[in-house]
């Protein structure tokens, strides 16, 4: 690594390997400094930015003070990575959303930031491949594949737990106002599984938030029927896999049961 530095030889993979080496010998401050310097040179490299954020987060958890907080690194990266570079942009975006959700107690500022990030995610996901990969950039890393459905699920659960009335608007946006929740095409198995959890969480939310008046009950039932119908449609697009046929059958039974309930 010293020789490469002397000869001014550098690359993303070399920097990441060097940082991992420094971490393995107990020098996180040097690893963070190395990654920070590399990120300032290549401001649009998502692999470097994500690794820098990860090391910064590890230092924060250990009571150490990095040069920048993990969320600050990701916010800065999101400003520098062009939106048309969908894979890189979505990788940073999903990581930032997850970081913000665990930053601290909910606040109006955090809620507004999450709402804006969520809207950006839906916008960038339109028409892109849903299983997001950084091709040719350290594919063995934990950031090589991003599960957008998992992030949507985390955001929905975060909103429900904090008694935010916007919970319903989240699944409406994902399932009805975007192409993302229409079909399984292009999704990895893990992402489809996360969508199953997302549908179930939305249905459970509606089941446990039953209204009082007859007019509200009618509207509530329509919401549930629409959810079941959307789930049937979504997983029907993956029925070539026998696992999802059973899921479709299950949602169909629930749909019929709800239709005939009082």
């Amino acid at each position: 690594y010293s020789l490469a530095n002397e000869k001014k030889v550098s690359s993303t993979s070399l920097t990441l390997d060097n940082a991992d080496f420094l971490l393995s010998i107990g020098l996180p401050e040097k690893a963070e400094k190395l990654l920070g310097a590399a990120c300032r040179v290549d401001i649009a490299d998502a692999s470097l930015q994500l690794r820098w954020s990860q090391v910064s987060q590890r230092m924060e958890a250990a009571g150490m003070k990095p040069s920048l907080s993990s969320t600050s690194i990701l916010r800065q990266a999101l400003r520098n990575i062009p939106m048309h570079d969908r894979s890189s942009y979505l990788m940073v975006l999903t990581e930032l959303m997850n970081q913000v959700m665990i930053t601290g107690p909910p606040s109006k500022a955090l809620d507004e930031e999450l709402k804006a990030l969520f809207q950006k995610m839906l916008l960038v996901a339109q028409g892109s491949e849903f299983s997001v990969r950084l091709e040719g950039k350290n594919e063995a890393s934990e950031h090589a594949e991003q599960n957008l459905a998992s992030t949507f699920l985390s955001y929905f659960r975060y909103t429900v737990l904090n008694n935010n009335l916007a919970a319903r608007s989240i699944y409406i946006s994902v399932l009805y106002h975007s192409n993302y929740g229409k079909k399984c095409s292009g999704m990895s198995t893990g992402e489809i599984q996360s969508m199953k959890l997302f549908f179930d969480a939305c249905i459970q939310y509606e089941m446990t938030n039953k209204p009082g008046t007859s007019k509200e009950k009618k509207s509530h039932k329509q919401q549930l029927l629409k959810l079941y119908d959307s789930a049937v449609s979504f997983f029907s697009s993956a029925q070539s896999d026998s696992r999802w046929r059973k899921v479709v059958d299950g949602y169909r039974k629930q749909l019929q049961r709800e239709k005939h309930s009082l």
Side-chain angles (χ1 to χ4, degrees):
Y1 298 125
S2 297
L3 183 61
N5 188 48
E6 286 174 16
K7 294 184 176 296
K8 300 189 184 301
V9 175
S10 65
S11 68
T12 295
S13 59
L14 182 63
T15 300
L16 293 173
D17 286 345
N18 195 351
D20 286 343
F21 168 71
L22 292 169
L23 289 169
S24 72
I25 60 173
L27 296 174
E29 300 99 326
K30 287 193 173 183
E32 195 263 341
K33 185 177 179 180
L34 172 74
L35 289 164
C39 287
R40 282 184 277 274
V41 172
D42 193 347
I43 61 174
D45 189 315
S47 291
L48 289 173
Q49 303 287 346
L50 288 165
R51 192 71 176 117
W52 184 21
S53 171
Q54 185 186 59
V55 172
S56 174
Q57 186 182 20
R58 183 185 297 187
M59 289 176 66
E60 290 169 335
M64 305 168 74
K65 190 172 182 180
S67 58
L68 273 179
S69 70
S70 56
T71 51
S72 295
I73 292 166
L74 294 170
R75 288 179 182 124
Q76 181 177 275
L78 202 63
R79 290 194 294 270
N80 292 328
I81 295 172
M83 193 176 284
H84 61 76
D85 184 357
R86 286 172 169 170
S87 293
S88 297
Y89 193 86
L90 281 170
M91 287 177 71
V92 172
L93 185 54
T94 53
E95 185 66 17
L96 178 55
M97 277 195 74
N98 287 315
Q99 285 285 331
V100 171
M101 283 187 277
I102 62 171
T103 294
S107 66
K108 186 176 180 180
L110 283 182
D111 285 346
E112 288 299 316
E113 181 177 14
L114 283 169
K115 184 179 178 181
L117 293 172
F118 171 65
Q119 293 299 329
K120 284 181 180 178
M121 188 177 296
L122 283 176
L123 176 65
V124 181
Q126 300 296 322
S128 67
E129 288 186 11
F130 299 138
S131 294
V132 181
R133 291 177 174 84
L134 268 185
E135 295 180 4
K137 292 192 177 182
N138 197 28
E139 292 183 18
S141 78
E142 65 184 275
H143 298 296
E145 183 176 315
Q146 288 295 308
N147 184 332
L148 300 189
S150 178
T151 304
F152 290 141
L153 175 62
S154 296
Y155 181 41
F156 181 77
R157 285 174 172 168
Y158 170 90
T159 307
V160 171
L161 285 173
N162 291 297
N163 297 315
N164 194 317
L165 296 176
R168 182 178 287 146
S169 69
I170 294 171
Y171 81 68
I172 287 175
S173 295
V174 173
L175 301 178
Y176 311 141
H177 297 164
S178 77
N179 290 330
Y180 185 84
K182 296 291 191 296
K183 57 184 179 179
C184 305
S185 178
M187 291 189 182
S188 66
T189 300
E191 201 155 12
I192 298 173
Q193 289 170 340
S194 293
M195 281 299 291
K196 172 69 168 62
L197 294 174
F198 183 74
F199 272 109
D200 289 345
C202 297
I203 290 168
Q204 183 62 31
Y205 170 78
E206 293 295 350
M207 293 292 286
T208 55
N209 287 276
K210 294 183 177 180
T213 68
S214 57
K215 185 177 180 179
E216 288 174 339
K217 284 180 180 178
K218 184 178 179 180
S219 175
H220 176 261
K221 185 167 184 173
Q222 288 173 341
Q223 287 284 356
L224 264 176
L225 292 176
K226 193 173 182 180
L227 270 172
Y228 285 127
D229 196 47
S230 296
V232 168
S233 176
F234 179 84
F235 291 102
S236 290
S237 65
Q239 280 203 78
S240 55
D241 189 324
S242 59
R243 288 173 297 179
W244 305 119
R245 289 178 201 159
K246 293 179 181 178
V247 170
V248 171
D249 290 341
Y251 282 126
R252 278 186 177 139
K253 287 178 182 177
Q254 290 174 297
L255 176 60
Q256 292 304 314
R257 190 180 302 123
E258 186 63 32
K259 278 182 178 179
H260 297 99
S261 66
L262 295 175

